[in-house]
Amino acid sequence: MTDYRDVTPGNEPKMQTAKEVFNYVIDYLRHPVQKIKNLPDWKWSTLLITIIVISMISGVISGLIPPNVYRIGSGLIFAPFIAVVMAWLGGVFIYYYFQVFEKRTCSLRKIFTLILFSNIPFFIFQAGSELIPPITLVGFAFTALLMAVGLTENFSMEKRRSLRLVTILFACVFFLWLYNRIEVARM
């Protein structure tokens, strides 16, 4: 019976991955355009945990401005769920966009990575949406621009086509946001 244990110095995969993710996100916040051009190749579990943690932080901060216990709880529970579902929907949409319109197959994991990192400005601006509701659209505009750069640089998509795609997505989000604001005003 052999007991194999890897004793390589510094070989702590979970801590190393958490440190790698944290360092990448910090560096991404400093240089988003450069970092969106060269996306990391992370496992699905790392990507999911990253989007969950970032959306939880954003949800809690938005619950603190102004302080509201229910919104903080919602930020902890619902924000991650919504972020993951929306990222999956966006990833599947872009995946099939490539299948149908670009006539090629791209990695769903790489598309999901692009969506995760391009959504970070949205999460940042979302924190102030209770005070200034249109700030959500500013965050999504930055998200759309980063998405266009990422599609062009990572997937060799024509710049004009990537801008057209993100403009259509931005228009959809804008009309959903506008509809939501009208419904909130009616209540």
Side-chain angles (χ1 to χ4, degrees), residues 15-25 40-42:
M15 289 306 291
Q16 184 178 6
T17 302
K19 186 177 181 181
E20 176 187 336
V21 169
F22 181 77
N23 288 337
Y24 188 88
V25 170
D41 187 22
W42 293 343

Side-chain angles (χ1 to χ4, degrees), residues 64-108:
L64 291 172
I65 306 172
N68 183 322
V69 175
Y70 296 111
R71 289 189 60 231
I72 292 171
S74 173
L76 284 171
I77 297 168
F78 295 118
F81 177 74
I82 292 169
V84 170
V85 168
M86 294 309 292
W88 274 110
L89 289 174
V92 168
F93 174 79
I94 292 173
Y95 178 81
Y96 284 110
Y97 172 86
F98 277 115
Q99 294 276 323
V100 173
F101 296 107
E102 299 285 324
K103 308 275 191 267
R104 60 190 168 113
T105 301
C106 294
S107 166
L108 182 59

